[in-house]
Amino acid sequence: MYQEDLIGKEITLVLDHIQDEIPEKGWVPAYCFWICDKDGNKMGACDLRVGHTEGLYYGGNIGYNLQKEYRGHHYAAKACELLFDLARRHDMGYVIITCHPDNIPSRKTCEYLGGELLEIAELPENHDLRIEDGHTHECIYKFEL
């Protein structure tokens, strides 16, 4: 596994921890990062889940969130671009990013990054996003690496 921070022109992804896979839950290993500005201020968080499973088709390989005061500057997209590079190091071939259909900022981020909207999928009854968050549908975007 990769053990270093990911450094971009405007942001740095500071490695917080690596989550081990949990095969009995169908979870793959994941890198969890803080999204920081060049002064080291934490602006949000992101992660890369390494691998492809049915659950990740709906949950995505990449997740991100930014504090409100840092939104609107493409920081989420810049974080994703750094995570795309890390996914390439793992020979993933492609990554999936998903979001709730009503999450317009996230949809715009996926479009800005050039993702292909595969579908707005109904979540399986037993999927964590449905059980824990009450989501019934997710936009599924694919990014070829």
Side-chain angles (χ1 to χ4, degrees):
M1 297 294 282
Y2 188 80
Q3 297 285 326
E4 297 178 19
D5 298 342
L6 303 175
I7 301 169
K9 292 179 182 175
E10 293 181 56
I11 64 167
T12 298
L13 301 186
V14 176
L15 185 61
D16 180 47
H17 67 280
I18 296 173
Q19 176 68 48
D20 293 331
E21 73 177 315
I22 305 175
E24 59 273 13
K25 288 187 170 188
W27 292 3
V28 298
Y31 295 97
C32 301
F33 294 93
W34 293 110
I35 303 171
C36 298
D37 64 17
K38 287 301 181 182
D39 294 324
N41 299 308
K42 291 179 183 175
M43 301 186 297
C46 63
D47 59 69
L48 172 68
R49 299 164 206 122
V50 180
H52 299 294
T53 67
E54 181 182 346
L56 285 177
Y57 177 78
Y58 300 103
N61 295 106
I62 291 176
Y64 50 82
N65 64 69
L66 285 168
Q67 296 172 25
K68 286 184 182 182
E69 61 267 28
Y70 297 108
R71 295 178 185 166
H73 303 281
H74 297 295
Y75 293 137
K78 292 168 185 172
C80 288
E81 289 170 338
L82 292 170
L83 293 175
F84 290 168
D85 288 339
L86 182 55
R88 284 184 196 97
R89 294 180 196 177
H90 284 281
D91 296 319
M92 288 180 61
Y94 67 93
V95 295
I96 298 289
I97 298 177
T98 68
C99 64
H100 191 274
D102 293 339
N103 187 342
I104 301 304
S106 221
R107 290 184 75 167
K108 286 183 177 182
T109 295
C110 289
E111 292 164 7
Y112 174 83
L113 288 164
E116 174 190 0
L117 178 61
L118 299 180
E119 65 175 317
I120 298 176
E122 183 172 356
L123 291 171
E125 292 292 327
N126 64 345
H127 197 279
D128 290 345
L129 288 172
R130 184 182 280 263
I131 294 168
E132 295 173 14
D133 299 331
H135 292 188
T136 58
H137 292 79
E138 289 289 304
C139 296
I140 313 292
Y141 288 92
K142 184 176 184 179
F143 299 82
E144 297 290 341
L145 300 175

